[in-house]
Amino acid sequence: MNFITKGQGVLVVQMDVCADPSTHFLLYLILIMAAPTPVVVSGQWLAEAIQSNQVGPKLAVLDCSWYLPKAQRNTRDEFAHQHIPGASFFDVDACSDQSSQYDHMLPSSNFFSQYVGDLGIGNDTHVVVYDTSSIGSFSAPRVWWMFRVFGHSSVSVLDGGMKLWLADGHPVTSEYSKPQRRDFRATLNASWVKSYEDVVENIRTKKVQVVDARSAGRFQGTAPEPRDDILPGHFSGAINMPYPTFLDPSGKHLGTEALAKLFKDAGVDLERPLWASCGSGVTACHVILAADRLGHPGVPLYDGSWCEWFKRSPPEDIITEVEKKKA
């Protein structure tokens, strides 16, 4: 081993490339106690952990793939066909408030505890999340945020997701063994979740910046929403930062210098209060993850996002470029 550095939530260890993979992971376990869990981990690190049989009670891998209905993808079937060895499937829609009229709203602490406990995850488990998006990351940051908001800080996103995992030649499998249930106790940090009423109040006071992670067309009102009962647009004061801009062409998450420039160019001051929004509370978590990597953890999410806003707001609170053109 040559050196160890810590910073911005990232742990970097340089060592002899010939070292046994189990040595790499053992060193990680020792060092993780002295540093925050990395927000993002590399495919190489995870491949070494899998090769040394570390996946289990202390390390869980979750395929968190979720797509809009119009994509016509069955993520459970895709998982059954091919996934990262040792992974379990996390169903974003199933692990949600089933009584809500809005998609995959955050469940109760008890529900979350039961759900992730059934996946073999305890409060001492390091969780690594990924998805199968063609751009590298789509829904995995949502599950990363769910663990964080329920008090579990030992969670990381796999850099590049399944896209880069396959590109780098790492193994996949169709085999699955259900992990043994473990006890997980979740504690919700309610201050990290914002409501429709909170956004209404913020539009009046203008105290908080709100970043919307949808595409520019959906935000501006010039491109359709993926849900038939929702029209595009945005609420007053929102700032558009489409979630794919947080990734590079390979699917990796941008480095901290590029992320800082991205926020600056969008006119977002990370020293000021910030909330995140999107279509239904999934891709907004890219904003939260990016801010965390820049040393600003705990950015709250408007969980209902545009779907709730559109259905509850009066027409005058729906801003669209189309309406401006008509005027």
Side-chain angles (χ1 to χ4, degrees):
M1 180 178 69
N2 295 326
F3 64 83
I4 302 170
T5 62
K6 293 181 289 182
Q8 304 294 355
V10 177
L11 181 66
V12 179
V13 182
Q14 182 176 344
M15 62 182 71
D16 183 355
V17 295
C18 296
D20 184 81
S22 61
T23 303
H24 289 197
F25 193 79
L26 178 60
L27 180 60
Y28 162 80
L29 289 177
I30 294 171
L31 292 174
I32 202 65
M33 298 178 67
T37 300
V39 176
V40 174
V41 293
S42 71
Q44 184 59 39
W45 176 86
L46 182 58
E48 291 174 356
I50 292 170
Q51 185 179 350
S52 55
N53 298 315
Q54 300 299 328
V55 175
K58 299 298 184 183
L59 177 66
V61 183
L62 299 179
D63 180 334
C64 308
S65 300
W66 174 88
Y67 300 99
L68 287 157
K70 284 192 174 182
Q72 296 185 330
R73 294 182 63 169
N74 188 316
T75 49
R76 284 189 177 275
D77 285 352
E78 291 180 16
F79 174 82
H81 173 70
Q82 176 179 276
H83 55 264
I84 292 176
S88 293
F89 185 75
F90 186 105
D91 190 326
V92 172
D93 284 328
C95 188
S96 67
D97 179 0
Q98 301 298 308
S99 67
S100 175
Q101 63 176 303
Y102 305 111
D103 292 346
H104 40 255
M105 295 287 281
L106 204 64
S108 68
S109 296
N110 287 340
F111 189 102
F112 187 81
S113 297
Q114 179 71 31
Y115 188 89
V116 302
D118 284 343
L119 295 175
I121 296 170
N123 291 95
D124 59 347
T125 304
H126 179 191
V127 181
V128 177
V129 297
Y130 76 93
D131 63 61
T132 56
S133 167
S134 61
I135 69 166
S137 184
F138 178 66
S139 53
R142 164 72 185 198
V143 178
W144 169 86
W145 175 79
M146 290 176 73
F147 275 97
R148 294 293 302 273
V149 80
F150 281 118
H152 191 72
S153 61
S154 187
V155 57
S156 308
V157 176
L158 177 64
D159 207 9
M162 179 64 92
K163 175 186 178 180
L164 198 57
W165 181 267
L166 292 172
D168 288 342
H170 295 309
V172 292
T173 185
S174 61
E175 297 179 2
Y176 174 68
S177 297
K178 182 175 175 57
Q180 183 176 352
R181 173 171 172 73
R182 298 192 70 209
D183 182 53
F184 186 94
R185 297 184 182 181
T187 303
L188 175 65
N189 184 340
S191 67
W192 287 9
V193 187
K194 298 304 173 182
S195 67
Y196 171 84
E197 290 76 17
D198 291 327
V199 177
V200 170
E201 175 65 12
N202 186 61
I203 289 174
R204 185 185 69 82
T205 63
K206 299 179 174 60
K207 290 182 178 180
V208 179
Q209 307 161 102
V210 183
V211 168
D212 187 320
R214 290 174 299 151
S215 69
R218 291 170 63 188
F219 179 86
Q220 294 164 358
T222 58
E225 283 289 314
R227 297 171 175 86
D228 292 334
D229 59 342
I230 305 291
L231 295 178
H234 61 272
F235 48 76
S236 178
I239 301 167
N240 190 211
M241 293 183 71
Y243 78 91
T245 60
F246 293 95
L247 308 170
D248 72 16
S250 75
K252 285 186 175 182
H253 294 266
L254 295 180
T256 52
E257 185 175 336
L259 282 178
K261 184 178 187 302
L262 198 66
F263 280 108
K264 182 178 179 181
D265 290 349
V268 177
D269 181 358
L270 290 175
E271 298 300 327
R272 293 182 53 221
L274 172 67
W275 300 345
S277 180
C278 58
S280 61
V282 174
T283 59
C285 296
H286 284 258
V287 178
I288 300 170
L289 185 144
D292 189 294
R293 292 181 60 217
L294 290 172
H296 298 275
V299 168
L301 171 70
Y302 172 27
D303 199 20
S305 286
W306 184 247
C307 284
E308 180 185 33
W309 185 265
F310 179 81
K311 290 184 177 181
R312 296 185 63 181
S313 294
E316 59 267 25
D317 289 341
I318 306 295
I319 301 172
T320 73
E321 294 297 324
V322 172
E323 291 300 320
K324 288 181 180 179
K325 290 176 182 177
K326 286 181 181 179

